[in-house]
């Protein structure tokens, strides 16, 4: 999006905004298009806040470029802020379950290890792409004790863990999350055994989406390259009732606070 602003040859602000909207529409056709387009919408909202104050297109473009760089800086620093907020919740001697591969979750675990805490991590294999093994490799490089478990073993290992840490592809208006498939059954199991289910997500992943059930992911929120009734699911929806807290760069939030934060972001 930032490159498009820099290279665009529009003669009016309206034309520039229209071209950026076309980029967002193109993002919707890509893998994880709904999530990508949601981030792009937020980017466009952020860079456009003061741009309309300028009558000249060159000044408008410069203003958008400056705010775009600020937006990218916020993104790059957001994981560090989340790690600072969450790592105190990882206690010495604790056992943690994490799902699939999440850079922000790994940052939290690295931060906790740097604080001289000893803990063990169980990582789900995370079919169908087995991304849990990527997480295991990173944890081993950091010398954090870890073990990959089968997705079907979460019920057995949930009794042994103190908390669940997962990332999110998107945080929706209800306070629920869209994430790698398998997150929802993990959340159900954690609730049944009274284990805290913590979500780690950057605020740029907050999206004005409102799935009501899993079927919405196959229909309203499916990627354009996915067939509606064929092939494996790659993400599922976890309702807010199963989420204990969300750790974000905006602070530690309850699921009910997400809608308020979205209002602040888009107004």
């Amino acid at each position: 999006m930032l490159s498009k602003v820099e290279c665009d040859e529009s003669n009016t602000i309206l034309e520039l905004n229209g071209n950026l909207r076309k980029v967002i529409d193109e993002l919707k056709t890509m893998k994880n298009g709904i999530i990508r387009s949601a981030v792009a919408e937020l980017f466009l909202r952020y860079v456009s806040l003061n741009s309309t104050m300028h009558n000249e297109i060159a000044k408008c473009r410069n203003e958008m470029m400056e705010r775009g760089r600020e937006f990218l800086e916020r993104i790059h620093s957001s994981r560090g802020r989340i790690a600072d907020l969450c790592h105190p919740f990882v206690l010495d001697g604790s056992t943690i379950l994490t799902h699939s591969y999440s850079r922000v979750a790994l940052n939290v675990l690295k931060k906790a290890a740097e604080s001289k805490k000893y803990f063990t991590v169980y990582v789900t294999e995370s079919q169908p792409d087995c991304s849990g093994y990527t997480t295991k490799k990173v944890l081993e490089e950091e010398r954090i004790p870890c073990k990959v478990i089968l997705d079907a073993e979460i019920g057995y290992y949930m009794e042994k863990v103190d908390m669940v840490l997962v990332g999110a592809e998107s945080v929706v208006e209800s306070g629920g999350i869209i994430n790698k498939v398998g997150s929802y059954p993990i959340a159900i199991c954690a609730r049944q055994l009274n284990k805290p289910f913590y979500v780690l997500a950057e605020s740029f992943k907050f999206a004005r989406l409102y799935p009501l059930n899993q079927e919405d992911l196959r229909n309203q929120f499916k990627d354009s390259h996915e067939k509606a009734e064929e092939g494996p699911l790659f993400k599922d929806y976890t309702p807010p009732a199963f989420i204990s807290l969300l750790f974000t760069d905006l602070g530690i939030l309850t699921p009910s606070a997400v809608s308020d934060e979205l209002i602040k972001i888009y107004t």
Side-chain angles (χ1 to χ4, degrees):
M1 291 286 286
L2 192 60
S3 298
K4 179 64 176 177
V5 174
E6 186 176 14
C7 300
D8 191 84
E9 298 180 353
S10 300
N11 295 315
T12 66
I13 298 173
L14 184 62
E15 185 180 357
L16 175 58
N17 282 329
N19 289 338
L20 292 176
R21 285 287 173 190
K22 290 178 182 178
V23 174
I24 294 175
D25 290 338
E26 291 174 6
L27 289 173
K28 291 179 180 179
T29 67
M30 301 169 64
K31 183 179 180 181
N32 295 325
I34 296 298
I35 311 303
R36 291 172 184 265
S37 61
V39 177
E41 286 276 6
L42 185 56
F43 173 88
L44 181 58
R45 169 65 183 169
Y46 188 83
V47 301
S48 302
L49 281 176
N50 296 327
S51 61
T52 54
M53 296 174 60
H54 303 288
N55 294 323
E56 297 180 15
I57 184 64
K59 290 183 179 179
C60 174
R61 185 179 288 109
N62 289 337
E63 177 73 21
M64 291 179 115
M65 288 293 298
E66 183 177 344
R67 290 188 63 82
R69 294 188 187 99
E70 290 177 4
F71 185 84
L72 290 178
E73 288 176 7
R74 287 181 57 184
I75 288 177
H76 293 151
S77 63
S78 59
R79 290 175 189 147
R81 290 197 292 270
I82 294 170
D84 290 338
L85 287 172
C86 188
H87 87 85
F89 284 71
V90 179
L91 302 179
D92 194 34
S94 61
T95 303
I96 299 162
L97 174 66
T98 190
H99 179 54
S100 186
Y101 176 81
S102 166
R103 285 187 290 264
V104 67
L106 285 169
N107 273 11
V108 169
L109 296 173
K110 290 178 184 178
K111 185 77 172 181
E114 289 170 1
S115 302
K116 307 303 180 183
K117 297 176 183 177
Y118 179 85
F119 55 91
T120 302
V121 181
Y122 291 129
V123 186
T124 56
E125 182 181 34
S126 190
Q127 290 284 354
D129 61 0
C130 297
S131 53
Y133 288 101
T134 303
T135 299
K136 179 177 183 289
K137 181 180 179 181
V138 175
L139 292 174
E140 287 178 338
E141 290 173 353
E142 297 294 327
R143 298 184 178 180
I144 298 174
C146 60
K147 177 182 179 180
V148 173
I149 66 172
L150 299 178
D151 296 338
E153 293 180 312
I154 58 172
Y156 175 81
Y157 283 97
M158 191 64 72
E159 295 180 350
K160 302 175 181 290
V161 306
D162 298 295
M163 70 179 71
V164 179
L165 294 180
V166 300
E169 291 189 18
S170 182
V171 180
V172 298
E173 287 188 58
S174 64
I177 63 168
I178 298 173
N179 196 38
K180 178 69 179 296
V181 67
S183 300
Y184 183 33
I186 291 174
I188 293 174
C189 190
R191 169 56 64 90
Q192 186 66 28
L193 294 177
N194 295 315
K195 308 290 184 176
F197 184 90
Y198 296 140
V199 173
L200 316 168
E202 304 92 323
S203 60
F204 66 82
K205 292 182 178 178
F206 285 24
R208 292 184 293 181
L209 304 174
Y210 210 110
L212 298 176
N213 50 42
Q214 305 303 321
E215 192 64 23
D216 279 346
L217 298 184
R218 281 290 200 183
N219 298 315
Q220 186 178 357
F221 304 120
K222 72 176 185 298
D223 291 332
S224 61
H225 71 284
E226 295 176 348
K227 296 183 179 179
E229 300 296 338
E230 299 178 14
L233 280 170
F234 285 89
K235 52 183 173 281
D236 60 21
Y237 167 61
T238 301
F242 297 95
I243 296 172
S244 304
L245 290 171
L246 296 102
F247 292 84
T248 78
D249 50 297
L250 301 177
I252 303 173
L253 307 177
T254 61
S256 60
V258 171
S259 59
D260 293 334
E261 294 299 329
L262 272 167
I263 292 171
K264 293 177 185 177
I265 290 172
Y266 283 96
T267 56

